[in-house]
Amino acid sequence: MASLKSEYRLALEAGAQALEAALSGLDAQGALKRCLAEIFKGESCVVSSFGTESAVILHMAAQIAPDTPVLFVDTGQLFDETLAYRDSLAERFGLTNVRSLTPSPHDIAADDPDGTLHKTNPDLCCHVRKTLPLIRALQPYKVWVSGRKRYHGGERADIPRVEIQDGKLKLNPLYDWDAEALRAYSREHDLPQHPLLKQNYLSVGCVPCTSPVAPDDDPRAGRWAGQDKTECGIHIGADGTITRTTG
């Protein structure tokens, strides 16, 4: 078994190197097109939170292949504004394959029956409401596309364009974009903003764990404010530890 795992890992690493080589010299749009419409056509998807910076990569994907599967994790604790934004962007961009993923009722009943798990174990809350639904939905695909960027800092400061996670290749086309590049693209294409951006929500997740920040603050400072937690878990590999609640 260990040998098979090692062989699979080596195959994944070779695949990541091959994809990186195939993207050499391409900008974000070119890399996205090469992945979605050429090398991994029918075997790739975009994962989007429909957050404050999501319009850029969704607009790019829509120009390339509007029927690209777009996986959106609806945790059941999102802002109404985010759900409305999802629907409006899908309609405006002509995205025809947006798939809303929801947590398993069994998992919710077992771990968060009263909806307060975020107060006692936010890592497990994210695991149940975000990570597990996404892992299940990603099974048919070889590559998934993320909108993560280095300028967010923290654990994202050194992300590569192509990486491996949970047995899949992951493409980060905007990995080297900064805030000004995002704003410039949005202005050029007249992209609508997330409704909460005007209220200083620079990064938007679930209602209980998201707060507004100062306009010049770190873009993710309002996520799990006051905690050591900086990621929801969908960008953490299978070796990440989830501690279950007891008692």
Side-chain angles (χ1 to χ4, degrees), residues 83-108:
L83 301 177
Y85 192 53
R86 171 201 59 191
D87 296 341
S88 65
L89 283 189
E91 181 177 0
R92 177 162 175 170
F93 295 167
L95 292 166
T96 60
N97 198 3
V98 176
R99 306 178 184 182
S100 292
L101 318 176
T102 56
S104 160
H106 173 77
D107 292 340
I108 294 297

PDB file of all heavy atoms in Angstrom, residues 83-108:
ATOM      1  N   LEU A  83     -24.988  35.117  -1.393  1.00  0.00           N
ATOM      2  CA  LEU A  83     -25.856  34.268  -2.206  1.00  0.00           C
ATOM      3  C   LEU A  83     -26.442  35.054  -3.377  1.00  0.00           C
ATOM      4  O   LEU A  83     -26.538  34.545  -4.500  1.00  0.00           O
ATOM      5  CB  LEU A  83     -26.967  33.680  -1.342  1.00  0.00           C
ATOM      6  CG  LEU A  83     -26.505  32.825  -0.157  1.00  0.00           C
ATOM      7  CD1 LEU A  83     -27.698  32.350   0.659  1.00  0.00           C
ATOM      8  CD2 LEU A  83     -25.681  31.637  -0.633  1.00  0.00           C
ATOM      9  N   ALA A  84     -26.829  36.299  -3.112  1.00  0.00           N
ATOM     10  CA  ALA A  84     -27.355  37.142  -4.184  1.00  0.00           C
ATOM     11  C   ALA A  84     -26.271  37.463  -5.209  1.00  0.00           C
ATOM     12  O   ALA A  84     -26.535  37.505  -6.423  1.00  0.00           O
ATOM     13  CB  ALA A  84     -27.940  38.433  -3.596  1.00  0.00           C
ATOM     14  N   TYR A  85     -25.057  37.682  -4.725  1.00  0.00           N
ATOM     15  CA  TYR A  85     -23.922  37.981  -5.604  1.00  0.00           C
ATOM     16  C   TYR A  85     -23.614  36.788  -6.499  1.00  0.00           C
ATOM     17  O   TYR A  85     -23.336  36.948  -7.693  1.00  0.00           O
ATOM     18  CB  TYR A  85     -22.721  38.337  -4.746  1.00  0.00           C
ATOM     19  CG  TYR A  85     -21.541  38.937  -5.467  1.00  0.00           C
ATOM     20  CD1 TYR A  85     -21.670  40.045  -6.295  1.00  0.00           C
ATOM     21  CD2 TYR A  85     -20.254  38.410  -5.298  1.00  0.00           C
ATOM     22  CE1 TYR A  85     -20.568  40.604  -6.937  1.00  0.00           C
ATOM     23  CE2 TYR A  85     -19.148  38.967  -5.917  1.00  0.00           C
ATOM     24  CZ  TYR A  85     -19.318  40.062  -6.742  1.00  0.00           C
ATOM     25  OH  TYR A  85     -18.226  40.619  -7.365  1.00  0.00           O
ATOM     26  N   ARG A  86     -23.665  35.599  -5.932  1.00  0.00           N
ATOM     27  CA  ARG A  86     -23.472  34.371  -6.723  1.00  0.00           C
ATOM     28  C   ARG A  86     -24.447  34.348  -7.897  1.00  0.00           C
ATOM     29  O   ARG A  86     -24.063  34.130  -9.049  1.00  0.00           O
ATOM     30  CB  ARG A  86     -23.685  33.142  -5.840  1.00  0.00           C
ATOM     31  CG  ARG A  86     -23.730  31.811  -6.577  1.00  0.00           C
ATOM     32  CD  ARG A  86     -24.426  30.751  -5.748  1.00  0.00           C
ATOM     33  NE  ARG A  86     -25.793  31.145  -5.422  1.00  0.00           N
ATOM     34  CZ  ARG A  86     -26.556  30.506  -4.541  1.00  0.00           C
ATOM     35  NH1 ARG A  86     -26.089  29.465  -3.875  1.00  0.00           N
ATOM     36  NH2 ARG A  86     -27.804  30.917  -4.311  1.00  0.00           N
ATOM     37  N   ASP A  87     -25.711  34.575  -7.608  1.00  0.00           N
ATOM     38  CA  ASP A  87     -26.732  34.494  -8.647  1.00  0.00           C
ATOM     39  C   ASP A  87     -26.566  35.592  -9.698  1.00  0.00           C
ATOM     40  O   ASP A  87     -26.713  35.341 -10.905  1.00  0.00           O
ATOM     41  CB  ASP A  87     -28.124  34.582  -8.020  1.00  0.00           C
ATOM     42  CG  ASP A  87     -28.424  33.414  -7.089  1.00  0.00           C
ATOM     43  OD1 ASP A  87     -27.738  32.372  -7.203  1.00  0.00           O
ATOM     44  OD2 ASP A  87     -29.336  33.540  -6.250  1.00  0.00           O
ATOM     45  N   SER A  88     -26.232  36.799  -9.252  1.00  0.00           N
ATOM     46  CA  SER A  88     -26.112  37.913 -10.194  1.00  0.00           C
ATOM     47  C   SER A  88     -24.885  37.753 -11.091  1.00  0.00           C
ATOM     48  O   SER A  88     -24.952  38.039 -12.295  1.00  0.00           O
ATOM     49  CB  SER A  88     -26.060  39.248  -9.448  1.00  0.00           C
ATOM     50  OG  SER A  88     -24.888  39.352  -8.659  1.00  0.00           O
ATOM     51  N   LEU A  89     -23.755  37.289 -10.524  1.00  0.00           N
ATOM     52  CA  LEU A  89     -22.564  37.084 -11.346  1.00  0.00           C
ATOM     53  C   LEU A  89     -22.778  35.961 -12.350  1.00  0.00           C
ATOM     54  O   LEU A  89     -22.375  36.070 -13.518  1.00  0.00           O
ATOM     55  CB  LEU A  89     -21.354  36.757 -10.473  1.00  0.00           C
ATOM     56  CG  LEU A  89     -20.675  37.901  -9.731  1.00  0.00           C
ATOM     57  CD1 LEU A  89     -19.373  37.414  -9.098  1.00  0.00           C
ATOM     58  CD2 LEU A  89     -20.406  39.096 -10.624  1.00  0.00           C
ATOM     59  N   ALA A  90     -23.398  34.877 -11.919  1.00  0.00           N
ATOM     60  CA  ALA A  90     -23.646  33.758 -12.828  1.00  0.00           C
ATOM     61  C   ALA A  90     -24.492  34.208 -14.012  1.00  0.00           C
ATOM     62  O   ALA A  90     -24.215  33.863 -15.170  1.00  0.00           O
ATOM     63  CB  ALA A  90     -24.335  32.620 -12.083  1.00  0.00           C
ATOM     64  N   GLU A  91     -25.508  35.019 -13.731  1.00  0.00           N
ATOM     65  CA  GLU A  91     -26.377  35.500 -14.812  1.00  0.00           C
ATOM     66  C   GLU A  91     -25.645  36.489 -15.712  1.00  0.00           C
ATOM     67  O   GLU A  91     -25.718  36.392 -16.937  1.00  0.00           O
ATOM     68  CB  GLU A  91     -27.620  36.162 -14.221  1.00  0.00           C
ATOM     69  CG  GLU A  91     -28.586  36.682 -15.275  1.00  0.00           C
ATOM     70  CD  GLU A  91     -29.847  37.270 -14.687  1.00  0.00           C
ATOM     71  OE1 GLU A  91     -29.969  37.275 -13.432  1.00  0.00           O
ATOM     72  OE2 GLU A  91     -30.704  37.730 -15.463  1.00  0.00           O
ATOM     73  N   ARG A  92     -24.937  37.430 -15.110  1.00  0.00           N
ATOM     74  CA  ARG A  92     -24.257  38.458 -15.901  1.00  0.00           C
ATOM     75  C   ARG A  92     -23.143  37.884 -16.767  1.00  0.00           C
ATOM     76  O   ARG A  92     -22.976  38.268 -17.921  1.00  0.00           O
ATOM     77  CB  ARG A  92     -23.693  39.527 -14.983  1.00  0.00           C
ATOM     78  CG  ARG A  92     -22.893  40.604 -15.715  1.00  0.00           C
ATOM     79  CD  ARG A  92     -22.728  41.831 -14.898  1.00  0.00           C
ATOM     80  NE  ARG A  92     -21.883  42.819 -15.537  1.00  0.00           N
ATOM     81  CZ  ARG A  92     -21.723  44.054 -15.115  1.00  0.00           C
ATOM     82  NH1 ARG A  92     -22.378  44.461 -14.038  1.00  0.00           N
ATOM     83  NH2 ARG A  92     -20.934  44.898 -15.742  1.00  0.00           N
ATOM     84  N   PHE A  93     -22.374  36.947 -16.222  1.00  0.00           N
ATOM     85  CA  PHE A  93     -21.261  36.378 -16.963  1.00  0.00           C
ATOM     86  C   PHE A  93     -21.677  35.236 -17.885  1.00  0.00           C
ATOM     87  O   PHE A  93     -20.895  34.795 -18.721  1.00  0.00           O
ATOM     88  CB  PHE A  93     -20.184  35.865 -16.007  1.00  0.00           C
ATOM     89  CG  PHE A  93     -19.514  36.937 -15.188  1.00  0.00           C
ATOM     90  CD1 PHE A  93     -18.718  36.590 -14.099  1.00  0.00           C
ATOM     91  CD2 PHE A  93     -19.661  38.278 -15.481  1.00  0.00           C
ATOM     92  CE1 PHE A  93     -18.079  37.566 -13.330  1.00  0.00           C
ATOM     93  CE2 PHE A  93     -19.043  39.264 -14.724  1.00  0.00           C
ATOM     94  CZ  PHE A  93     -18.256  38.902 -13.649  1.00  0.00           C
ATOM     95  N   GLY A  94     -22.893  34.731 -17.719  1.00  0.00           N
ATOM     96  CA  GLY A  94     -23.337  33.608 -18.529  1.00  0.00           C
ATOM     97  C   GLY A  94     -22.774  32.282 -18.085  1.00  0.00           C
ATOM     98  O   GLY A  94     -22.651  31.348 -18.890  1.00  0.00           O
ATOM     99  N   LEU A  95     -22.428  32.174 -16.797  1.00  0.00           N
ATOM    100  CA  LEU A  95     -21.940  30.905 -16.250  1.00  0.00           C
ATOM    101  C   LEU A  95     -23.116  29.947 -16.119  1.00  0.00           C
ATOM    102  O   LEU A  95     -24.071  30.214 -15.390  1.00  0.00           O
ATOM    103  CB  LEU A  95     -21.280  31.128 -14.888  1.00  0.00           C
ATOM    104  CG  LEU A  95     -19.963  31.911 -14.922  1.00  0.00           C
ATOM    105  CD1 LEU A  95     -19.588  32.378 -13.526  1.00  0.00           C
ATOM    106  CD2 LEU A  95     -18.842  31.066 -15.530  1.00  0.00           C
ATOM    107  N   THR A  96     -23.054  28.838 -16.801  1.00  0.00           N
ATOM    108  CA  THR A  96     -24.208  27.943 -16.872  1.00  0.00           C
ATOM    109  C   THR A  96     -24.089  26.703 -16.004  1.00  0.00           C
ATOM    110  O   THR A  96     -24.983  25.850 -16.020  1.00  0.00           O
ATOM    111  CB  THR A  96     -24.424  27.495 -18.334  1.00  0.00           C
ATOM    112  OG1 THR A  96     -23.256  26.793 -18.799  1.00  0.00           O
ATOM    113  CG2 THR A  96     -24.685  28.691 -19.231  1.00  0.00           C
ATOM    114  N   ASN A  97     -22.979  26.588 -15.260  1.00  0.00           N
ATOM    115  CA  ASN A  97     -22.763  25.347 -14.515  1.00  0.00           C
ATOM    116  C   ASN A  97     -22.257  25.634 -13.098  1.00  0.00           C
ATOM    117  O   ASN A  97     -21.292  25.016 -12.642  1.00  0.00           O
ATOM    118  CB  ASN A  97     -21.771  24.464 -15.274  1.00  0.00           C
ATOM    119  CG  ASN A  97     -21.823  23.012 -14.829  1.00  0.00           C
ATOM    120  OD1 ASN A  97     -22.627  22.625 -13.982  1.00  0.00           O
ATOM    121  ND2 ASN A  97     -20.939  22.199 -15.398  1.00  0.00           N
ATOM    122  N   VAL A  98     -22.897  26.580 -12.419  1.00  0.00           N
ATOM    123  CA  VAL A  98     -22.550  26.870 -11.029  1.00  0.00           C
ATOM    124  C   VAL A  98     -23.244  25.847 -10.133  1.00  0.00           C
ATOM    125  O   VAL A  98     -24.462  25.688 -10.193  1.00  0.00           O
ATOM    126  CB  VAL A  98     -22.974  28.300 -10.632  1.00  0.00           C
ATOM    127  CG1 VAL A  98     -22.680  28.547  -9.152  1.00  0.00           C
ATOM    128  CG2 VAL A  98     -22.253  29.326 -11.497  1.00  0.00           C
ATOM    129  N   ARG A  99     -22.465  25.159  -9.330  1.00  0.00           N
ATOM    130  CA  ARG A  99     -22.999  24.091  -8.483  1.00  0.00           C
ATOM    131  C   ARG A  99     -22.826  24.466  -7.010  1.00  0.00           C
ATOM    132  O   ARG A  99     -21.697  24.633  -6.538  1.00  0.00           O
ATOM    133  CB  ARG A  99     -22.280  22.773  -8.769  1.00  0.00           C
ATOM    134  CG  ARG A  99     -22.314  22.391 -10.239  1.00  0.00           C
ATOM    135  CD  ARG A  99     -21.545  21.116 -10.504  1.00  0.00           C
ATOM    136  NE  ARG A  99     -21.495  20.810 -11.931  1.00  0.00           N
ATOM    137  CZ  ARG A  99     -20.915  19.729 -12.450  1.00  0.00           C
ATOM    138  NH1 ARG A  99     -20.318  18.851 -11.635  1.00  0.00           N
ATOM    139  NH2 ARG A  99     -20.915  19.527 -13.758  1.00  0.00           N
ATOM    140  N   SER A 100     -23.922  24.586  -6.296  1.00  0.00           N
ATOM    141  CA  SER A 100     -23.867  24.933  -4.877  1.00  0.00           C
ATOM    142  C   SER A 100     -23.787  23.652  -4.050  1.00  0.00           C
ATOM    143  O   SER A 100     -24.649  22.773  -4.176  1.00  0.00           O
ATOM    144  CB  SER A 100     -25.102  25.748  -4.477  1.00  0.00           C
ATOM    145  OG  SER A 100     -25.057  27.022  -5.087  1.00  0.00           O
ATOM    146  N   LEU A 101     -22.749  23.561  -3.243  1.00  0.00           N
ATOM    147  CA  LEU A 101     -22.507  22.382  -2.417  1.00  0.00           C
ATOM    148  C   LEU A 101     -22.948  22.675  -0.991  1.00  0.00           C
ATOM    149  O   LEU A 101     -22.679  23.748  -0.466  1.00  0.00           O
ATOM    150  CB  LEU A 101     -21.023  22.022  -2.425  1.00  0.00           C
ATOM    151  CG  LEU A 101     -20.299  22.099  -3.777  1.00  0.00           C
ATOM    152  CD1 LEU A 101     -18.816  21.815  -3.595  1.00  0.00           C
ATOM    153  CD2 LEU A 101     -20.924  21.143  -4.777  1.00  0.00           C
ATOM    154  N   THR A 102     -23.594  21.736  -0.364  1.00  0.00           N
ATOM    155  CA  THR A 102     -24.060  21.932   1.005  1.00  0.00           C
ATOM    156  C   THR A 102     -23.531  20.813   1.905  1.00  0.00           C
ATOM    157  O   THR A 102     -23.229  19.712   1.430  1.00  0.00           O
ATOM    158  CB  THR A 102     -25.595  21.954   1.072  1.00  0.00           C
ATOM    159  OG1 THR A 102     -26.117  20.747   0.494  1.00  0.00           O
ATOM    160  CG2 THR A 102     -26.142  23.155   0.314  1.00  0.00           C
ATOM    161  N   PRO A 103     -23.415  21.082   3.206  1.00  0.00           N
ATOM    162  CA  PRO A 103     -22.926  20.048   4.129  1.00  0.00           C
ATOM    163  C   PRO A 103     -23.896  18.869   4.215  1.00  0.00           C
ATOM    164  O   PRO A 103     -25.103  19.024   3.986  1.00  0.00           O
ATOM    165  CB  PRO A 103     -22.857  20.787   5.479  1.00  0.00           C
ATOM    166  CG  PRO A 103     -22.954  22.233   5.158  1.00  0.00           C
ATOM    167  CD  PRO A 103     -23.709  22.350   3.887  1.00  0.00           C
ATOM    168  N   SER A 104     -23.348  17.724   4.557  1.00  0.00           N
ATOM    169  CA  SER A 104     -24.177  16.545   4.764  1.00  0.00           C
ATOM    170  C   SER A 104     -25.069  16.746   5.987  1.00  0.00           C
ATOM    171  O   SER A 104     -24.576  17.113   7.062  1.00  0.00           O
ATOM    172  CB  SER A 104     -23.288  15.314   4.980  1.00  0.00           C
ATOM    173  OG  SER A 104     -23.981  14.280   5.622  1.00  0.00           O
ATOM    174  N   PRO A 105     -26.377  16.515   5.868  1.00  0.00           N
ATOM    175  CA  PRO A 105     -27.250  16.621   7.038  1.00  0.00           C
ATOM    176  C   PRO A 105     -26.806  15.720   8.188  1.00  0.00           C
ATOM    177  O   PRO A 105     -26.933  16.078   9.357  1.00  0.00           O
ATOM    178  CB  PRO A 105     -28.616  16.193   6.502  1.00  0.00           C
ATOM    179  CG  PRO A 105     -28.552  16.498   5.033  1.00  0.00           C
ATOM    180  CD  PRO A 105     -27.125  16.211   4.647  1.00  0.00           C
ATOM    181  N   HIS A 106     -26.236  14.562   7.838  1.00  0.00           N
ATOM    182  CA  HIS A 106     -25.736  13.649   8.866  1.00  0.00           C
ATOM    183  C   HIS A 106     -24.580  14.281   9.638  1.00  0.00           C
ATOM    184  O   HIS A 106     -24.521  14.208  10.875  1.00  0.00           O
ATOM    185  CB  HIS A 106     -25.274  12.341   8.219  1.00  0.00           C
ATOM    186  CG  HIS A 106     -24.591  11.400   9.168  1.00  0.00           C
ATOM    187  ND1 HIS A 106     -25.277  10.632  10.085  1.00  0.00           N
ATOM    188  CD2 HIS A 106     -23.263  11.138   9.371  1.00  0.00           C
ATOM    189  CE1 HIS A 106     -24.411   9.925  10.801  1.00  0.00           C
ATOM    190  NE2 HIS A 106     -23.188  10.215  10.388  1.00  0.00           N
ATOM    191  N   ASP A 107     -23.642  14.912   8.898  1.00  0.00           N
ATOM    192  CA  ASP A 107     -22.500  15.552   9.550  1.00  0.00           C
ATOM    193  C   ASP A 107     -22.954  16.708  10.442  1.00  0.00           C
ATOM    194  O   ASP A 107     -22.427  16.902  11.545  1.00  0.00           O
ATOM    195  CB  ASP A 107     -21.506  16.067   8.509  1.00  0.00           C
ATOM    196  CG  ASP A 107     -20.812  14.935   7.759  1.00  0.00           C
ATOM    197  OD1 ASP A 107     -20.806  13.797   8.274  1.00  0.00           O
ATOM    198  OD2 ASP A 107     -20.284  15.195   6.660  1.00  0.00           O
ATOM    199  N   ILE A 108     -23.903  17.485   9.955  1.00  0.00           N
ATOM    200  CA  ILE A 108     -24.406  18.607  10.750  1.00  0.00           C
ATOM    201  C   ILE A 108     -25.091  18.095  12.015  1.00  0.00           C
ATOM    202  O   ILE A 108     -24.870  18.626  13.116  1.00  0.00           O
ATOM    203  CB  ILE A 108     -25.382  19.469   9.928  1.00  0.00           C
ATOM    204  CG1 ILE A 108     -24.645  20.149   8.764  1.00  0.00           C
ATOM    205  CG2 ILE A 108     -26.058  20.514  10.808  1.00  0.00           C
ATOM    206  CD1 ILE A 108     -23.571  21.117   9.192  1.00  0.00           C
TER     207      ILE A 108
END
